[in-house]
Amino acid sequence: MNYINPHSWRCLLGKQSKNIIENNGLYQWSVGKRNHFCTNRDLTIEEVKNFGETNFHYLSKDNCELIKQYHKVSRAKNTATTIDLTQLSLIGNANKSLRYAVNKGLSYKLAVEDNFRYIEDVEVMINEWSNVLAVKYFRDNSGKNTYFFKNNFHKDCHSVFLYDKDVLVAFGAASPEVNGYSSYILGKALCNKYYGLSEYADLILYQKCMYNGIKIIDLGQTTGGMEFYKNKFSGSDSYEYYNGKVL
């Protein structure tokens, strides 16, 4: 299982990214003088031998062990969360708080759309999210989110955009189904203004994913308060991966 796929890896790019290369599931780019890569497959020995100094993201243990045979490596173990959507439920006492949040989100009577109306809607919402809510999360990827949508990287993804009249208040995007799997690429909600909006928006996205044949969705890196939130949904599980550097 791997969060990285031909669509999700692009959420790691930003406007400073250059020298972008896609090579049979190996994705490489640079920011300033730093090189980066991620992959959704097992690396070959020849590829590993050719690595210079580079950062890596969402790397499996097997790939890390292979790289260590030929290079010095600095790495940190991380946890990612998955949800088995076939087990998703709002029924029962265990899902009481989630059910309340979703019902609260439903009460706002928001318009649910497949795409943003204007890119400026995304820019305004992400700017507000970054200024008010980013400190609660492990990192602020708001600039990369804007880059993702500006470049239309969500074109073939499953996306939802929630509007309160003319104001975008939440969005989410997941990669297309491959063998029943998908990655939750990015999502944000102005939950400081709308209690339950995060849960409501995510549930809509999950339902859309299920309709399109997705059974397991990978939510990516999970730390701090995000661990509690992501595990609110029944069917959640976790696995380990590595971020780090080839020295």
Side-chain angles (χ1 to χ4, degrees), residues 12 50 74 85 131 142 221 233 243 245:
L12 301 174
N50 288 330
S74 171
L85 297 179
N131 290 334
S142 54
Q221 184 170 332
F233 295 89
N243 289 334
K245 299 178 180 179

Side-chain angles (χ1 to χ4, degrees), residues 2-3 5 7-8 11 58 81 83 148 158 160 170-176 181-189 197-199 201-203 205-206 209 214 216-221 226 229-230 233:
N2 196 322
Y3 176 76
N5 62 44
H7 296 85
S8 64
C11 75
Y58 287 103
T81 297
I83 295 179
F148 187 88
H158 305 302
V160 294
F171 62 77
S175 62
Y181 287 82
S182 171
S183 291
Y184 188 121
I185 300 175
L186 47 82
K188 285 182 170 53
L197 180 58
S198 296
E199 293 88 344
D202 281 347
L203 181 64
L205 180 60
Y206 297 159
C209 287
I214 294 166
I216 305 289
I217 187 165
D218 191 324
L219 308 186
Q221 184 170 332
M226 292 303 294
Y229 174 78
K230 291 181 179 181
F233 295 89

Side-chain angles (χ1 to χ4, degrees), residues 96-98 100-108 190-200 232:
K96 183 178 180 180
S97 63
L98 177 61
Y100 177 78
V102 169
N103 286 335
K104 186 65 176 176
L106 184 63
S107 72
Y108 300 128
L190 298 181
C191 53
N192 59 313
K193 290 185 174 180
Y194 303 83
Y195 175 82
L197 180 58
S198 296
E199 293 88 344
Y200 177 57
K232 273 187 174 184

Side-chain angles (χ1 to χ4, degrees), residues 88-223:
L88 193 62
S89 175
L90 298 179
I91 300 172
N93 191 58
N95 296 309
K96 183 178 180 180
S97 63
L98 177 61
R99 185 167 61 249
Y100 177 78
V102 169
N103 286 335
K104 186 65 176 176
L106 184 63
S107 72
Y108 300 128
K109 301 186 184 306
L110 304 173
V112 180
E113 304 184 10
D114 293 330
N115 205 348
F116 54 80
R117 298 173 187 172
Y118 306 98
I119 188 60
E120 290 80 9
D121 298 342
V122 176
E123 293 172 337
V124 169
M125 184 199 144
I126 286 180
N127 184 64
E128 180 173 352
W129 183 94
S130 181
N131 290 334
V132 178
L133 293 167
V135 293
K136 294 185 178 181
Y137 293 78
F138 59 90
R139 57 183 175 175
D140 182 1
N141 278 336
S142 54
K144 293 179 180 179
N145 289 180
T146 304
Y147 183 83
F148 187 88
F149 287 126
K150 271 190 172 181
N151 285 276
N152 206 31
F153 291 152
H154 67 299
K155 174 178 174 288
D156 297 316
C157 297
H158 305 302
S159 302
V160 294
F161 294 83
L162 278 63
Y163 278 85
D164 185 356
K165 298 182 176 61
D166 295 327
V167 179
L168 181 66
V169 296
F171 62 77
S175 62
E177 179 267 342
V178 176
N179 297 324
Y181 287 82
S182 171
S183 291
Y184 188 121
I185 300 175
L186 47 82
K188 285 182 170 53
L190 298 181
C191 53
N192 59 313
K193 290 185 174 180
Y194 303 83
Y195 175 82
L197 180 58
S198 296
E199 293 88 344
Y200 177 57
D202 281 347
L203 181 64
I204 293 173
L205 180 60
Y206 297 159
Q207 290 174 332
K208 190 171 188 177
C209 287
M210 285 189 287
Y211 179 80
N212 286 280
I214 294 166
K215 296 180 179 179
I216 305 289
I217 187 165
D218 191 324
L219 308 186
Q221 184 170 332
T222 303
T223 59

